[in-house]
Amino acid sequence: MLLPPGAAGILCYVGAYVFITYDDYDHFFEDVYTLIPAVVIIAVGALLFIIGLIGCCATIRESRCGLATFVIILLLVFVTEVVVVVLGYVYRAKVENEVDRSIQKVYKTYNGTNPDAASRAIDYVQRQLHCCGIHNYSDWENTDWFKETKNQSVPLSCCRETASSCNGSLANPSDLYAEGCEALVVKKLQEIMMHVIWAALAFAAIQLLGMLCACIVLCRRSRDPAYELLITGGAYA
């Protein structure tokens, strides 16, 4: 009834995608409350799977009690999805400040010789987003790692894919990604949050249609007894 199990599966997929992608950028964004919309949307998806089955059974049997329960639950889920949209916009607005606060600390702790989780995260982001440094590759000159190595080079993850002979040397800046990572990380995290927002909005619209259809069936069902009574009473000529 407009809410098949596959639709609930899509919601769960969107929530899982947010978790998986967030794991790649969690060192740059320490506010775990950002995951609340994803948690809620997964819970809503699992709930919709059950609600969809209840709605289908209630529609087939045209059970007034079942349909009424279905509409009430859908209304509650609809309100929950509105909350998800609001939270999504709130945390989306916080992304830039959070990244700006965290990324400086992560870059300062980089250790390319014996890389830890934070160092691997930096290399991953620089390769995936095609960026180097916080604002540009020159930011590496202010890091402890750069000063300790004393070879006037940045991590190899800063090398352009097209620069086959790149060794990270600052003497060949054309071999390095020119754009900094902070703006791209912010953009990526905001895109992730927009997936949650759009998914919640889309399924909220579908739920409105589901509630409308259920109400139509309820109204039709409520008229049936009176219609049968008229026939029994000989109202037809």
Side-chain angles (χ1 to χ4, degrees):
M1 183 178 173
L2 290 175
L3 287 168
I10 294 174
L11 274 182
C12 291
Y13 170 80
V14 171
Y17 169 77
V18 172
F19 269 99
I20 294 171
T21 310
Y22 177 86
D23 188 55
D24 296 328
Y25 298 89
D26 60 349
H27 288 88
F28 305 97
F29 197 86
E30 297 177 349
D31 189 354
V32 295
Y33 293 107
T34 307
L35 293 176
I36 290 178
V39 172
V40 174
I41 206 170
I42 290 176
V44 168
L47 182 61
L48 284 181
F49 181 85
I50 300 173
I51 295 174
L53 296 178
I54 294 174
C56 289
C57 294
T59 303
I60 292 172
R61 297 187 177 186
E62 294 192 355
S63 167
R64 291 189 63 188
C65 181
L67 285 172
T69 302
F70 178 68
V71 171
I72 292 172
I73 296 176
L74 269 188
L75 181 60
L76 294 176
V77 174
F78 174 79
V79 172
T80 302
E81 289 187 336
V82 172
V83 172
V84 168
V85 171
V86 173
L87 287 176
Y89 273 107
V90 169
Y91 286 119
R92 185 175 181 273
K94 293 175 60 178
V95 164
E96 188 170 357
N97 290 333
E98 285 289 330
V99 172
D100 183 60
R101 186 181 66 181
S102 302
I103 199 169
Q104 301 274 355
K105 181 171 62 176
V106 177
Y107 268 83
K108 285 183 179 179
T109 59
Y110 183 83
N111 183 354
T113 306
N114 184 22
D116 53 13
S119 299
R120 290 194 299 271
I122 290 175
D123 286 329
Y124 173 84
V125 166
Q126 292 190 152
R127 289 193 180 99
Q128 292 296 313
L129 301 183
H130 297 169
C131 58
C132 183
I134 300 174
H135 303 105
N136 54 59
Y137 58 80
S138 66
D139 292 325
W140 279 106
E141 298 181 64
N142 299 319
T143 63
D144 294 336
W145 173 83
F146 183 89
K147 296 172 183 177
E148 289 172 4
T149 56
K150 298 179 181 179
N151 58 7
Q152 296 298 306
S153 64
V154 297
L156 295 178
S157 56
C158 281
C159 292
R160 295 179 183 272
E161 294 178 344
T162 55
S164 57
S165 60
C166 176
N167 60 3
S169 175
L170 291 178
N172 300 306
S174 59
D175 291 343
L176 309 175
Y177 293 122
E179 191 168 0
C181 294
E182 181 177 0
L184 295 179
V185 169
V186 169
K187 181 180 178 182
K188 184 67 177 180
L189 290 173
Q190 288 180 337
E191 286 177 354
I192 294 171
M193 199 56 62
M194 282 305 299
H195 289 317
V196 175
I197 292 172
W198 283 114
L201 284 174
F203 282 91
I206 293 175
Q207 283 170 238
L208 282 177
L209 292 176
M211 286 187 285
L212 178 61
C213 291
C215 289
I216 291 173
V217 174
L218 272 174
C219 292
R220 183 191 304 169
R221 180 64 177 166
S222 65
R223 289 196 299 265
D224 284 347
Y227 178 74
E228 292 171 0
L229 182 62
L230 285 174
I231 295 178
T232 305
Y236 277 54

